[in-house]
Amino acid sequence: MAKTDSDERWGHATVDTACPLDCPDSCSLAITVEQGKLIGIDGSTRQDETGGYICGKVRRFDRRVYGSDRLLRPAIRQGPKGRDATFKEVDWDEALGEIAARLTDVRDRWGGEAILPFSYGGSNGLISQDTSDAALFRRLGASRLARTVCAAPTSTAAAALYGKMAGVTPADYPHSRLIVIWGANPSESGIHLVPYVREAQRNGATLVVVDPRCTKLALQADIHLPVRPGTDLPVALALHRYLFEQGLADTAFLDARTRGAERVRLRAEAWSIARAAEVAGIDAAALQRVAELYGATSPAVIRCGWGLERNRNGGSAAMAVMALPAVAGKFGVRGGGYSMSNSSVWPLDDEQWIGVDEPPTRTVNMNHLGRALNEYDAPTIKALFVYNCNPVATMPDQNRVISGLSRDDLFTVVFDQVQTDTAAYADVVLPATTFLETYDIAKSYGLISLQLVRPVIDSVGESRPNIEVFADLAARLGFDDAWSGDTEAEALLRISAAMPDAIRTSLLEDGAATPPMGATPIQFVDVEPRTPDGQINLFDEALDAETPEGLYVYQEDSASDDYPLALISPATSRTISSSLGELYAGPAAVEMHPADAEARQITDRDTVRLYNAQGEVQCLVRVTDRVREGTLSLPKGLWRKSTFNGSTANALVPDTLTDIGDGACFNDARVQAERVLAAAFEGHDVTLSVSAESESRVH
Ligand SMILES: Nc1nc2c(c(=O)[nH]1)N[C@H]1C(S)=C(S)[C@@H](COP(=O)(O)OP(=O)(O)OC[C@H]3O[C@@H](n4cnc5c(=O)[nH]c(N)nc54)[C@H](O)[C@@H]3O)O[C@H]1N2
Ligand SMILES: Nc1nc2c(c(=O)[nH]1)N[C@H]1C(S)=C(S)[C@@H](COP(=O)(O)OP(=O)(O)OC[C@H]3O[C@@H](n4cnc5c(=O)[nH]c(N)nc54)[C@H](O)[C@@H]3O)O[C@H]1N2
Ligand code: SF4
Ligand SMILES: [Mo]
């Protein structure tokens, strides 16, 4: 029906905005609203590459916006911290007054570094992080946070090699003749790549997938290398060695555009195809075939994902993978090269707008949150301010994180949209708006796009946007900085003022902008390395010196007789990290190969305990050959209610750091598994039968 006066009177409209969630795609959205209320969410065609369709999670985002877990008003905890905590609602004035007083007290008694701000991927928007929040914590002289939980190894690797050069974007995949999807699962974690891969296949392209699981694309691939987690480095080095030995290395390109090729060749020498295949537990003939194909085919593109970075070898592995197109001379053609994150290709830098210099205070690696809360002194962390993050569900070493958060002498603020597992440990909880209720700027990391996010519905309850809350707190603390009293609309203008004119104008007027290089640049035609000398740095001497074993040097698996199984915890289509996890009560299931199950007398849908020296998870099991033998897979981002004992994969994850980039080793959890009898759950009100509904949620 055409839009009529009565539609206007009832406030019925469809409005464009964009999705700023931590997903590579940054879809354009068309939101239907009626009288300030969300009626429907669909894809908009404003952006070609995501034009018209979106994922199921965001299509049903109303379940978060208006859901029963949504925080509506600030609240102060009554009684003890933890899962049984209860909260009393208060007004914003009282909540912020309390926070201002406590932060002042902590700073005066123990110094600013006793305050730890803790934020990560809740919103990837430019306004909701590193604006008024950064100004506030810098003024307080708070400890600084190293945001290393994701992408630290891959970013360090990409920056060292290519200096944040733009990668091949999804729309160019149909030009490729060979596509290698390495440690990525776009069918769940970045869905708009998939149709382009399928189109390339229809055009005759060969598809290779390197993944311990048989993902949807692996099922459709010509070759699937089901590597043991953490063994990508030997596999990639074997490809390098093959290229050099067979005379397939592009020596003219290497001489003209790179440094360090000889050092890579030497480090790769240890890895024959046969030896790498043995360590990775894959078929040597299949690896040989991949080497031959990669040497012979152009355009060839490698989609380097984040699955391969989350282990002790992750940084070197990502580097060896992303170095392949340089050694094999795959650049300079459309559909040739590599794809990693495109988030750094814009001429934008937070420092242009934060407005307060960063003080040289202590830096806390976020992967060490549990350690930091329990052990750090000089000074002890006395105040923790969590926003855009749910560390109980997402950081390594969950039990240690929980024990730190349980400290009575720790003052914790959790600022979120819903009552998360972390919020159960808060002294003060603050309600945040969702991206449908606020301004933001969505910068894609899969595509090359920058889009305006706008308030399209009335804010729910008394929720407020980050920018305003931190500006309000700054004013209460007497900080007279540029952001105090700022609204989100003013923040939008301030940030966009730092942008080049053309980008600002199209962002503000059309809601979307394209950078000077265009949305689909060809590597080494439209974009060049942004290293200091413009060359590809194949062997970064400084990184080599910093890396305990040296760059491109394989560190052995830590599996033992006690804990022989590798547990990985990749993204699923149900949640974004732990966001939206409130909608799933579970029970979750761990995927286990039939041979591993049989060896332990485990059958499908049994209840199992997964354990190691750090913790234990009790959950259901799904016996399937979609995961390789010796490897288990449990979804990332589960909430505590999704398992029988309130622990998730993160309870089994060590807080060790990756070889380069100091990143998280989520996939280095090594565990044992055993069947548990139903009797173990007596009194826990657990039904061991899987309902049809929960089964459909098992991946
Ligand atoms: N629906 C949805 N989308 C998301 C997210 C989400 O949670 N849900 N999360 C977003 C975020 S924060 C990120 S960082 C990205 C992550 O997106 P991806 O890059 O897809 O990363 P993961 O899901 O961690 O893992 C990808 C694949 O790597 C495999 N893998 C695990 N260990 C190894 C290994 O050692 N070697 C190799 N070769 N493969 C391995 C896993 O089996 C998995 O299939 O997705 C984003 N998109
Ligand atoms: N086991 C395991 N754990 C992992 C991973 C893994 O592979 N395995 N992957 C890791 C990865 S890739 C990532 S990126 C991290 C992500 O870890 P987190 O940064 O903790 O991400 P989320 O779980 O999405 O939690 C973000 C929270 O921010 C809230 N939020 C959203 N928007 C706003 C806002 O505007 N204001 C405020 N105040 N809050 C907001 C959301 O409601 C949500 O509760 O998790 C990591 N954890
Ligand atoms: S989560 Fe990803 S796929 Fe879903 S709407 Fe947002 S950007 Fe698109
Ligand atoms: Mo991530």
Side-chain angles (χ1 to χ4, degrees), residues 12-77:
H12 185 100
T14 298
V15 204
D16 268 350
T17 186
C19 175
L21 296 183
D22 191 350
C23 165
D25 293 8
S26 299
C27 293
S28 299
L29 302 177
I31 311 291
T32 308
V33 286
E34 209 162 273
Q35 293 205 313
K37 227 180 158 227
L38 175 63
I39 300 297
I41 306 186
D42 212 332
S44 140
T45 48
R46 183 171 70 190
Q47 178 179 262
D48 291 346
E49 288 174 65
T50 66
Y53 74 99
I54 60 172
C55 66
K57 302 175 291 297
V58 168
R59 190 179 293 283
R60 292 302 318 278
F61 203 69
D62 60 309
R63 295 186 299 173
R64 161 154 288 206
V65 176
Y66 303 119
S68 60
D69 290 289
R70 185 77 196 265
L71 291 166
L72 300 175
R73 270 168 282 284
I76 291 183
R77 183 173 43 79

Side-chain angles (χ1 to χ4, degrees), residues 21-25 55 57 120-121 124 149-151 181-191 209-216 225-233 303-311 314 317 321 340 445 567-579 626-627 631 633 636-637 666-668 670:
L21 296 183
D22 191 350
C23 165
D25 293 8
C55 66
K57 302 175 291 297
Y120 195 73
N124 261 3
V149 74
C150 170
I181 306 280
W182 200 318
N185 180 21
S187 304
E188 307 205 50
S189 63
I191 57 174
V209 171
V210 187
D211 198 306
R213 296 186 304 154
C214 186
T215 58
K216 273 192 195 144
L225 300 179
V227 293
R228 182 170 170 83
T231 61
D232 302 277
L233 177 60
R303 201 294 175 249
C304 178
W306 291 271
L308 82 168
E309 76 165 18
R310 312 193 200 286
N311 64 75
V321 168
M340 223 298 117
Y445 61 95
L567 173 71
I568 60 174
S569 38
T572 73
S573 57
R574 301 180 306 174
T575 63
I576 292 279
S577 297
S578 76
S579 296
R626 296 281 293 272
V627 62
T631 299
S633 179
K636 108 166 157 181
F666 291 115
N667 297 337
D668 267 347
R670 295 295 178 267

